[in-house]
């Protein structure tokens, strides 16, 4: 679809990570009538900014993190649903309705966790996944089809500058 092609184009551009996320969210906002269900794993800086932008657009946004203080802050300042726990937990993902989610964005500090979250989420029925991965080699690797494993889009930290 048009949305998916634009997202792919944005993620291939060598622009700042934050700017890429803002552009991605802007495109999501163009499709507001869809009222997307979006799950964000990780309430750090990137997760917080994503949640903030999405909450202004009346999307059904869920945030998963271990840090109760970060989640309380999000609850008090944004129109999002928070869940304390491990985003790699199948039980937790099912509780928040991963099978009806349109997008799962894994932006924790651990690339291994983000990879795992995406694989589990995809196998449980989420439509699209985006994972933050530290290794820039994964972005342009033609030998490995990461979509087979459940990663639709990969963002690498080398874009953060």
């Amino acid at each position: 679809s048009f949305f998916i092609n634009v997202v792919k184009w944005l993620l291939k551009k060598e622009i700042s990570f934050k700017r890429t996320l803002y552009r991605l969210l802007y495109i999501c906002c163009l499709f507001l009538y869809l009222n997307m269900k979006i799950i964000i794993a990780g309430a750090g800086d990137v997760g917080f900014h994503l949640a903030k932008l999405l909450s202004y657009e009346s999307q059904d946004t869920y945030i998963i993190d271990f840090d109760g203080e970060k989640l309380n802050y999000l609850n008090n300042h944004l129109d999002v649903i928070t869940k304390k726990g491990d985003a790699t937990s199948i039980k937790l993902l099912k509780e928040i309705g991963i099978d009806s989610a349109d997008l799962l964005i894994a932006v924790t500090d651990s690339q291994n966790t983000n990879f795992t979250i995406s694989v589990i989420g995809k196998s449980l029925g989420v439509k699209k996944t985006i994972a933050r991965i530290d290794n820039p080699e994964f972005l342009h690797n033609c030998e490995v089809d990461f979509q087979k494993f459940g990663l639709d889009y990969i963002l690498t930290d080398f874009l953060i500058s």
Side-chain angles (χ1 to χ4, degrees), residues 37 39 41 64 83 86-100 104 116-122 124:
K37 179 176 182 179
I39 299 171
I64 305 169
K83 185 75 172 174
D86 182 359
T88 63
S89 166
I90 294 170
K91 180 181 176 186
L92 185 144
L93 291 171
K94 285 183 174 182
E95 283 176 11
I96 62 173
I98 188 76
D99 60 335
S100 64
L104 171 62
T116 303
I117 292 166
S118 297
V119 170
I120 293 170
K122 193 63 149 185
L124 293 176

Side-chain angles (χ1 to χ4, degrees), residues 17-141:
F17 183 71
K18 188 174 180 181
R19 194 170 189 185
T20 299
L21 290 175
Y22 283 121
R23 287 183 180 179
L24 174 61
L25 289 172
Y26 174 74
I27 291 167
C28 288
C29 295
L30 293 176
F31 295 88
L32 284 178
Y33 63 90
L34 295 176
N35 193 27
M36 296 172 69
K37 179 176 182 179
I38 300 169
I39 299 171
I40 301 171
D45 290 338
V46 175
F48 173 80
H49 289 293
L50 283 169
K52 183 178 178 182
L53 292 169
L54 290 168
S55 72
Y56 295 147
E57 303 302 334
S58 301
Q59 300 299 326
D60 294 333
T61 306
Y62 295 74
I63 313 292
I64 305 169
D65 201 283
F66 283 114
D67 190 332
E69 287 182 29
K70 288 180 182 177
L71 295 177
N72 284 337
Y73 183 82
L74 284 166
N75 261 340
N76 293 329
H77 293 88
L78 303 176
D79 183 21
V80 296
I81 300 164
T82 59
K83 185 75 172 174
K84 184 176 180 181
D86 182 359
T88 63
S89 166
I90 294 170
K91 180 181 176 186
L92 185 144
L93 291 171
K94 285 183 174 182
E95 283 176 11
I96 62 173
I98 188 76
D99 60 335
S100 64
D102 297 293
L103 181 63
L104 171 62
I105 306 172
V107 289
T108 71
D109 291 334
S110 166
Q111 76 172 0
N112 295 337
T113 301
N114 294 338
F115 188 92
T116 303
I117 292 166
S118 297
V119 170
I120 293 170
K122 193 63 149 185
S123 66
L124 293 176
V126 69
K127 290 181 182 85
K128 294 291 175 188
T129 62
I130 299 174
R132 180 181 179 184
I133 304 294
D134 295 333
N135 189 342
E137 179 183 14
F138 289 2
L139 189 63
H140 302 292
N141 190 329

